[in-house]
Amino acid sequence: MTAHRIFDWTPQAVVFDCDGTLVDSERHWQQARDIVLRENGVAPDPEFAERSKGLHYTECGALMARLAGTPDADEEMTQQLLARFRALVAQDPVAVRGAQALVRTLSRRAPLAVASNCPADVVEFCLKAVGMRHHFRHVVVPEPGVLPKPRPDAYVEAARRLGVDCGNALAVEDSVNGLKAAVNAGLRVIGVGREPSREAVALADLWVDSLDDPQLVAWAESRPPITARREDADHPRSASAHPMVPRQANRAQSGTRATP
């Protein structure tokens, strides 16, 4: 039970994943993957869908090339995947339920960033398309020196750019690979999505079905605004009634789902 690690705490920064967390683009990735596989003579199956979720797009292209029996065509398959995805998102950009309101609320209370496995131009386009780009100070994607999720690099870099220690930052994620990246970077983590796997729930401090979860919204709205927190820093008050709880050693038993 570690929901208190979220609800009894105020993060100094919040880092969101993009696909499936802020923008309902995971379905576009899945459609793009399915289209490209079929064009290359492969019938996609549920196992492939699960294996590919949250993968960096280049790793996904390599996986698809192997499935198609043409492992040397990984770069070509990756470009096909990106082209299909961009076309699908352009036709139908949709924000994840509750994302816009939560981002707006938290942006008044902490600096925000995005950490994604997607190309920077794709993330920028998606966030602008759903009206959220202006809320985020930084967008961090894989680049030289920043390895893709599930490595922790993107979250470490996002916290660095926001000027906070990883232990004082919150991550919001929907995939196992993203959750692993955030946990290994040392952030506290909220997982979001319906029907999560046991592994996903175990990795998260708190799991919610959607970003408009009433408990999550109430917590976000109750956090002090940035200006008030600056005043508190200048004029310290007595110790909190809810001291910070150290990260538990056995993370596999730590996930807690929010209850209605």
Side-chain angles (χ1 to χ4, degrees):
M1 297 284 290
T2 60
H4 58 79
R5 283 172 47 81
I6 303 298
F7 291 140
D8 293 348
W9 173 65
T10 298
Q12 294 180 9
V14 184
V15 186
F16 286 84
D17 172 54
C18 185
D19 284 335
T21 302
L22 294 174
V23 181
D24 188 12
S25 51
E26 184 57 40
R27 60 193 174 97
H28 295 316
W29 280 116
Q30 187 59 59
Q31 291 171 3
R33 291 189 288 257
D34 289 353
I35 291 170
V36 173
L37 279 179
R38 290 194 178 96
E39 289 176 341
N40 286 272
V42 178
D45 57 31
E47 181 182 353
F48 168 75
E50 188 61 30
R51 289 174 65 190
S52 60
K53 185 177 181 181
L55 278 182
H56 187 252
Y57 62 95
T58 58
E59 295 174 338
C60 189
L63 173 61
M64 294 166 66
R66 291 195 299 272
L67 289 174
T70 55
D72 293 338
D74 55 334
E75 292 186 12
E76 180 182 351
M77 202 81 82
T78 297
Q79 293 307 310
Q80 292 177 24
L81 176 63
L82 285 174
R84 287 292 187 179
F85 174 77
R86 288 188 174 101
L88 289 166
V89 172
Q91 293 171 10
D92 185 27
V94 179
V96 168
R97 190 177 111 197
Q100 291 164 314
L102 183 66
V103 166
R104 185 167 54 250
T105 297
L106 287 175
S107 69
R108 302 185 185 115
R109 289 157 172 83
L112 309 183
V114 167
S116 174
N117 267 356
C118 292
D121 67 300
V122 170
V123 179
E124 295 277 354
F125 173 80
C126 288
L127 293 175
K128 289 176 182 176
V130 297
M132 285 192 278
R133 177 61 184 92
H134 63 288
H135 290 299
F136 296 97
R137 299 189 184 183
H138 302 283
V139 170
V140 180
V141 301
E143 60 185 11
V146 180
L147 296 173
K149 304 172 190 178
R151 292 83 164 181
D153 300 37
Y155 279 105
V156 172
E157 177 63 14
R160 186 193 69 79
R161 293 187 192 181
L162 292 173
V164 303
D165 291 335
C166 288
N168 294 324
L170 171 68
V172 185
E173 269 284 357
D174 74 313
S175 72
V176 169
N177 278 335
L179 290 160
K180 288 179 178 178
V183 168
N184 289 334
L187 284 73
R188 304 189 193 198
V189 190
I190 294 174
V192 60
R194 295 189 177 277
E195 301 181 0
S197 67
R198 289 184 179 181
E199 182 181 11
V201 173
L203 286 164
D205 291 295
L206 172 72
W207 194 279
V208 295
D209 289 341
S210 66
L211 294 180
D212 60 359
D213 175 87
Q215 287 180 284
L216 177 60
V217 171
W219 169 80
E221 291 176 344
S222 70
R223 299 305 89 193
I226 292 175
T227 53
R229 287 159 60 187
R230 286 174 181 161
E231 291 172 0
D232 286 347
D234 293 336
H235 305 284
R237 300 178 182 178
S238 59
S240 169
H242 302 288
M244 184 177 293
V245 179
R247 179 175 289 273
Q248 295 189 8
N250 186 0
R251 190 61 184 242
Q253 298 178 357
S254 66
T256 302
R257 293 200 68 172
T259 54

